[in-house]
Amino acid sequence: MKRTFLTIIVILAVAGLTAQTRLKDISKVSGMDSRQLIGYGLVTGLQGTGDSQASQVTIQSIVNMMEHFGLSVPESRTRTNNVAAVMVTAVMPPFASPGSYFDVMVSSVGDARSLEGGQLLMTPLIGQDNRKYAIAQGPISIGGGNEETRGTRMRRNISNTGRIPNGGIVEIENSNMIFVNGELKILLNNPDFTTAERATEAINALMGMRLATADNASSISIIVPDDVILNDNLISFISNIENIEITPQAAARVVINERTGTVIAGGNVRITPVAIAHGNLMVRIVGEDETMTLGNANLITYVAEMDAREENRIFFMETATVQELAQALNAIRVTPRDMISIFVALKETGALLADLRIL
């Protein structure tokens, strides 16, 4: 239980800090799009854990593959114990060139028990436009396994899905258009008008001229100077913009995970004056005219006897934050579930000035 308290406080303390971050960490250049790929293939070399004879798609796939190599095998004589039909999925990164590698995921589509030890045969990967962009092949890593001994079965992780590191090879370049009509566009990962304005001002200050304009809360248009194009310095121009540091405007939000007792709050979350009674605990957030301090602290804690029970009273300033409240509750060993109940009650009364999300 003590470890849970410490985890909550550390997270909130970090959330309360205001730090600058690179523009590249909170945005991307428009046009740098990855490409979703998919394919159907066969995994061989399994130790009797492949698809059963009831999997007709696997039998038909084996027969078709054998015919491709000039062999004729009747379906009735085809055995699938060491073979599994799989779907292969992958995300080809932006600007991927022919010959470059990327990871692929393999998942069973039949009734195979495990893909452990399997080898994916050469599988074409197609995009949404039905063009073949890459080829996948290689040994599968599942990070788990199924073991059976004298009727006892032990399972570690999911063994019907696996990954092939660098299993995909690009055949057609993933072309990306990032420079259109003399402009670049920066897209924020979390749309916010304040963050967009701060990024625009920082870009213009770096360039010494007004090149950037915020189109909306998520998009910033940047005019590329003629000398950058003539000198072929577009990559350097983008790199300078990506490394600009700004302070993003975080939304006021509190996220609670009731299963683990975790409370995470942003640094902009505030609490208005309110009083909450929860069990033998009394929490009171006071106004400016009731401010009480103890040294450099913004709260006073004392113990009073009432009806043969212990009552802890906590006084806060009007500008109390969720971080301060959580630290105070943690100091008197309030359980995570009680802490969650208090935050939910604060939201219901309108005293918690933030969006509350419960996982």
Side-chain angles (χ1 to χ4, degrees), residues 47-80:
Q47 297 181 343
T49 59
D51 294 335
S52 68
Q53 295 300 118
S55 181
Q56 292 298 314
V57 65
T58 307
I59 295 176
Q60 185 64 54
S61 298
I62 295 175
V63 171
N64 293 344
M65 181 183 65
M66 293 303 179
E67 290 179 351
H68 178 75
F69 289 103
L71 301 174
S72 178
V73 181
E75 291 188 11
S76 59
R77 302 294 297 273
T78 302
R79 297 293 178 264
T80 61

Side-chain angles (χ1 to χ4, degrees), residues 260-320:
T260 61
T262 303
V263 180
I264 303 177
N268 294 325
V269 178
R270 316 300 292 182
I271 303 175
T272 59
V274 69
I276 297 179
H278 182 79
N280 66 341
L281 175 69
M282 177 67 183
V283 179
R284 185 183 182 192
I285 301 174
V286 302
E288 292 183 353
D289 56 338
E290 300 176 89
T291 299
M292 298 182 182
T293 61
L294 179 61
N296 295 326
N298 292 329
L299 59 92
I300 293 179
T301 302
Y302 68 90
V303 179
E305 294 294 333
M306 181 179 296
D307 297 332
R309 69 177 184 178
E310 182 181 73
E311 181 173 334
N312 297 306
R313 294 184 181 272
I314 304 175
F315 296 88
F316 275 93
M317 296 175 61
E318 182 181 20
T319 56

